Amino acid sequence: MNTHSSAKDTTHSLFKTIPPERVGIDGEYDYNGLANRVTQVLEQQFSYEDLQNLTVRQRGTVVMLSGKLSSQQLLHQIRCASLNVSGATDVEIHGVDIVPQSAYQGTTQANCA
């Protein structure tokens, strides 16, 4: 009977574990947790003007970016910052248009290591 109890406890604990891509900002279960955490990181590292036309979504562990950005360098920095978020395994770029802004001020450097 001890092995039955042990198997039941193991199964029960598996249902209590949240997959990394579903962990929300405060550690709660969130179906879009990865996208929300990536958005939070990007808002901390980049200006509102840099991100105002960017949409962040997720498909499982893949972060999907779409919208408009001011430079290819900014896109690379955002991609790197997104990959550094726990649970992200890849970043897909879907229809990101590069539209240079004359008043572009630059962004904080993101490390892609």
Side-chain angles (χ1 to χ4, degrees):
M1 183 128 192
N2 195 8
T3 55
H4 178 69
S5 176
S6 175
K8 185 178 178 181
D9 291 342
T10 303
T11 303
H12 190 271
S13 69
L14 289 175
F15 289 113
K16 287 186 174 182
T17 305
I18 301 172
E21 70 274 15
R22 302 296 182 211
V23 175
I25 291 173
D26 295 320
E28 77 286 3
Y29 178 87
D30 181 352
Y31 185 79
N32 295 308
L34 177 60
N36 292 334
R37 288 183 290 115
V38 167
T39 299
Q40 181 183 47
V41 166
L42 296 179
E43 288 173 347
Q44 292 170 352
Q45 293 185 16
F46 301 93
S47 71
Y48 171 78
E49 290 78 22
D50 288 338
L51 303 174
Q52 68 182 349
N53 296 312
L54 184 70
T55 301
V56 178
R57 294 177 306 198
Q58 76 179 79
R59 186 182 70 242
T61 62
V62 177
V63 176
M64 301 182 332
L65 304 175
S66 61
K68 297 179 184 177
L69 294 173
S70 61
S71 72
Q72 193 68 35
Q73 179 185 7
L74 178 60
L75 175 59
H76 175 73
Q77 291 171 343
I78 288 172
R79 182 181 180 280
C80 290
S82 299
L83 278 172
N84 284 327
V85 175
S86 176
T89 59
D90 196 10
V91 176
E92 292 180 357
I93 311 301
H94 293 280
V96 173
D97 296 323
I98 304 301
V99 182
Q101 297 174 353
S102 60
Y104 178 61
Q105 300 278 328
T107 61
T108 306
Q109 292 291 328
N111 185 3
C112 211

